[in-house]
Amino acid sequence: MQQENLPHQRVLSLWFPELACDRILRPLRRAAPSRARGAEPPFAVTAKMRKAQRLTGINATARALGIRLGEPLADVRARVPHLLVEEADPELDLGLLALIADWCDRYTPLVALDGTDGLFLDMTGCAHLFGGEEAMLADVLTRLQGQGFAVCGAIAGTPGAAWAVARFGDGGCVPEGGLEDALRALPLPALRLAEETVEALGTVGLKTIGDILQRPRAPLARRYGAELILRLDQALGHQGEPVSPRFVMPVVMAERRFFEPIARIEDVRAVALSLGQQVCEALERRVEGGRAFELALFRVDGAVQKMIVGTSRPLRLPKRILALFSEKLKADESVLDAGFGYDLVRLSVLEAQADAPDQLSLSGRGQTETDADLAGLIDRLGARLGLARVGRLLPVDRHVPESQCALVPAATVREDALSWVGLAGNDLGLGPGLAEGPEQGFDSEDPTWQDLPLERPLRLINPAEPVETVAMVPDGPPLRFRWRRVLYKVVRSEGPERIAPPWWVGAADASADGAAATRDYFRIEDEDGRRFWLYREGLYAQETREPRWFLQGVFA
């Protein structure tokens, strides 16, 4: 089913024909005066293809000497002995293209990669901010050329048309309703067709887009494939073509541009606080709070520095947002390098969440304020160390003690999930290592739970360590055991506490760690007063003939 393009969609296509050479030559170009660009020596980038070193990138000087892409290096050397050559590095080229895409964020956040040497910018509704499409295109090209890039660009109503005019035309802006006129004289490769399709069309005299515009579609599709019709319709706007941005569109965004660049950290903080006030007002109107914020600083030399902080709860307080970025800077001051200054500062909300106003407590400090302090601590630690490195233990519905908790990022934990059961007498929750019990938690305002004896150690040994034991009967408690080459004599014991797997997991399905075998736990004490938590794995004469013993914890 055909889909129409967005009404009045405008797309900018940028093409970097010498990107591989630009990566190496642009430091020299930026240092040299503009009049010296014509005196640049011939330069080429090579890679091994078809059992020979061939040219994969050339600069304008080499192209003027008749050198063409794909030629063997040996043949070119014979004609142009003074040709300068470097080995190709596609990964570095892609990295440079990504940096250029970051820089293009100053015009629109909707920037997409176009192969290995181009970019698409969705400029719909943005051109008036820069004085119109002509002025904006001139600004983009002038700035990129000033940074040492060879670049061509075009703006049109479809990505296909912009791509064709930028690479096979004279560039510039294609007015609305002028797609056919702009594409008519361009060669067929401008439709992004396969080489064999272009060659087949050329054999019958069809060489330009104008040659096929008015021809019947059915015979063309039957003979040359549906791709020809699809590409033509995409270029003309009859068929939609999505532009997939590198990053998700921010929920809320505020930015400030400067005629004179700023470089002092105090100025950056003041601007960030002002932008934070704007985004928080926007979030308040949406009844939302930010969960991820990005501060982007655009330097005048084209470099872009970004800092991202996350929160454990929705946030819309400007000072708190600024404090998180300050913590980020404390962890790594090298994040900011002003160089010759920043001419654009942008604060974006990358992720937001509903945040309705809370009813505050009228009787002093309540649970809301306490939770806010904990969330603030998690946010500060996360900004300095990274949210993934600040964890909390989350209960897991498993029968084996060592699997009853999981360490997860604290920022992702809901408070209603932090209910521990079965840790001490009367099934009060104290920590991560306990058996199944009634769904009861402990009352944090009742101090009596602190006086109850622990039935299990607070910290478990995972994996449990095997021990050698001597017992009077196979199902009885141990009389003595050896752990880590030390022999312990048991004087007191309590148990067993039996933990069996769920009914749908049988002993025959037991894994190597024994998670599907029945365990009998004992709390024992040796003659020196040390207390241990041991278990016997497997029921004697039912699941195994030789039960094994393990030590899983030591009581403090």
Side-chain angles (χ1 to χ4, degrees):
M1 183 173 113
Q2 292 189 348
Q3 297 178 351
E4 297 294 336
N5 273 8
L6 293 175
H8 309 296
Q9 180 185 19
R10 304 298 288 173
V11 179
L12 167 60
S13 175
L14 294 176
W15 177 41
F16 301 88
E18 304 174 14
L19 185 63
C21 299
D22 294 342
R23 175 175 55 84
I24 302 170
L25 296 178
R26 60 189 294 259
L28 302 177
R29 293 172 180 171
R30 297 173 64 180
S34 57
R35 62 179 179 274
R37 176 68 189 274
E40 189 173 272
F43 183 83
V45 176
T46 65
K48 190 171 183 179
M49 297 185 303
R50 300 194 298 272
K51 300 181 181 181
Q53 287 291 119
R54 297 181 180 272
L55 306 188
T56 59
I58 55 176
N59 65 349
T61 306
R63 190 177 293 105
L65 294 175
I67 300 175
R68 296 293 177 261
L69 292 176
E71 289 189 89
L73 177 60
D75 296 347
V76 177
R77 285 279 197 189
R79 304 197 318 265
V80 186
H82 58 286
L83 177 69
L84 302 179
V85 177
E86 286 285 345
E87 187 72 19
D89 193 331
E91 291 186 3
L92 291 181
D93 294 342
L94 287 176
L96 178 59
L97 188 62
L99 293 178
I100 300 173
D102 288 340
W103 178 85
C104 289
D105 282 347
R106 65 172 54 236
Y107 297 100
T108 173
L110 301 178
V111 181
L113 298 179
D114 175 25
T116 59
D117 60 355
L119 297 173
F120 280 130
L121 282 69
D122 191 338
M123 305 301 304
T124 306
C126 298
H128 69 281
L129 301 174
F130 304 93
E133 292 183 353
E134 295 283 355
M136 189 199 67
L137 179 59
D139 184 68
V140 173
L141 298 181
T142 301
R143 287 174 178 263
L144 289 173
Q145 290 167 357
Q147 297 176 30
F149 293 103
V151 58
C152 301
I155 298 179
T158 64
W163 189 94
V165 175
R167 296 177 183 247
F168 294 89
D170 298 328
C173 298
V174 179
E176 295 185 16
L179 291 179
E180 288 193 11
D181 295 336
L183 296 174
R184 191 179 301 276
L186 299 182
L188 286 175
L191 290 179
R192 298 171 290 175
L193 299 174
E195 292 184 6
E196 52 271 19
T197 303
V198 174
E199 293 177 359
L201 289 166
T203 58
V204 296
L206 302 178
K207 299 184 180 297
T208 66
I209 298 178
D211 293 337
I212 64 173
L213 274 178
Q214 305 302 327
R215 292 184 176 272
R217 299 296 185 87
L220 288 175
R222 184 169 58 253
R223 185 169 182 180
Y224 301 105
E227 182 190 14
L228 173 62
I229 305 304
L230 174 63
R231 289 303 190 184
L232 182 61
D233 286 343
Q234 287 178 341
L236 296 175
H238 303 320
Q239 180 77 21
E241 181 179 2
V243 175
S244 301
R246 300 167 62 236
F247 305 113
V248 178
M249 180 72 176
V251 179
V252 176
M253 183 175 63
E255 65 181 26
R256 186 162 299 168
R257 300 175 184 269
F258 305 96
F259 182 76
E260 289 292 337
I262 61 174
R264 297 194 312 158
I265 187 64
E266 294 81 5
D267 296 336
V268 174
R269 291 178 185 273
V271 173
L273 183 60
S274 176
L275 296 178
Q277 183 68 36
Q278 296 182 38
V279 300
C280 289
E281 291 176 356
L283 289 173
E284 187 173 4
R285 290 192 295 268
R286 298 166 59 101
V287 196
E288 292 180 338
R291 292 294 305 273
F293 298 87
E294 179 188 71
L295 182 65
L297 306 170
F298 296 79
R299 292 195 329 198
V300 294
D301 61 354
V304 182
Q305 298 168 356
K306 295 182 179 181
M307 293 185 293
I308 299 178
V309 296
T311 65
S312 58
R313 289 190 172 188
L315 177 64
R316 56 171 182 255
L317 297 175
K319 293 185 178 180
R320 284 276 303 277
I321 297 173
L322 180 61
L324 294 181
F325 285 111
S326 298
E327 292 290 343
K328 190 82 169 180
L329 290 177
K330 290 179 183 178
D332 185 8
E333 295 183 354
S334 64
V335 172
L336 290 188
D337 180 12
F340 294 103
Y342 305 108
D343 62 349
L344 173 62
V345 178
R346 175 185 296 163
L347 180 63
S348 305
V349 181
L350 303 181
E351 183 179 348
Q353 183 178 332
D355 183 27
D358 293 329
Q359 175 64 52
L360 300 179
S361 173
L362 301 180
S363 58
R365 189 174 178 82
Q367 185 65 30
T368 302
E369 289 82 357
T370 304
D371 294 343
D373 288 347
L374 178 59
L377 174 63
I378 294 173
D379 294 345
R380 292 195 302 273
L381 292 175
R384 181 173 297 193
L385 306 175
L387 285 177
R389 297 184 178 181
V390 183
R392 295 183 74 175
L393 292 175
L394 186 67
V396 179
D397 190 13
R398 294 289 300 277
H399 69 286
V400 290
E402 65 269 19
S403 300
Q404 288 184 339
C405 67
L407 187 63
V408 299
T412 64
V413 176
R414 303 189 319 272
E415 291 301 321
D416 57 1
L418 296 173
S419 176
W420 298 96
V421 295
L423 281 173
N426 300 328
D427 293 311
L428 298 179
L430 300 178
L434 282 261
E436 299 169 326
E439 290 297 329
Q440 300 176 9
F442 67 89
D443 185 359
S444 59
E445 298 181 358
D446 182 6
T448 58
W449 64 269
Q450 302 182 21
D451 300 329
L452 297 173
L454 289 178
E455 294 182 352
R456 302 180 180 182
L458 288 177
R459 296 181 63 88
L460 302 181
I461 299 174
N462 188 22
E465 299 184 5
V467 296
E468 301 175 6
T469 63
V470 175
M472 182 174 297
V473 294
D475 293 337
L479 300 178
R480 56 181 178 270
F481 67 94
R482 186 183 302 275
W483 176 50
R484 295 181 179 177
R485 300 183 181 181
V486 178
L487 184 64
Y488 299 90
K489 184 179 180 181
V490 178
V491 296
R492 295 181 181 87
S493 65
E494 183 179 3
E497 174 192 355
R498 178 161 294 177
I499 298 179
W503 61 267
W504 59 86
V505 179
D509 301 322
S511 57
D513 58 1
T518 302
R519 299 180 182 182
D520 285 342
Y521 281 85
F522 293 88
R523 292 183 294 275
I524 63 176
E525 182 179 331
D526 72 348
E527 51 190 0
D528 292 328
R530 293 182 288 257
R531 302 178 67 234
F532 305 89
W533 200 42
L534 282 74
Y535 71 86
R536 181 179 59 242
E537 181 184 278
L539 296 178
Y540 178 72
Q542 297 182 32
E543 297 179 351
T544 179
R545 297 295 300 177
E546 296 181 1
R548 297 183 301 168
W549 285 85
F550 295 88
L551 188 143
Q552 195 160 25
V554 178
F555 291 92

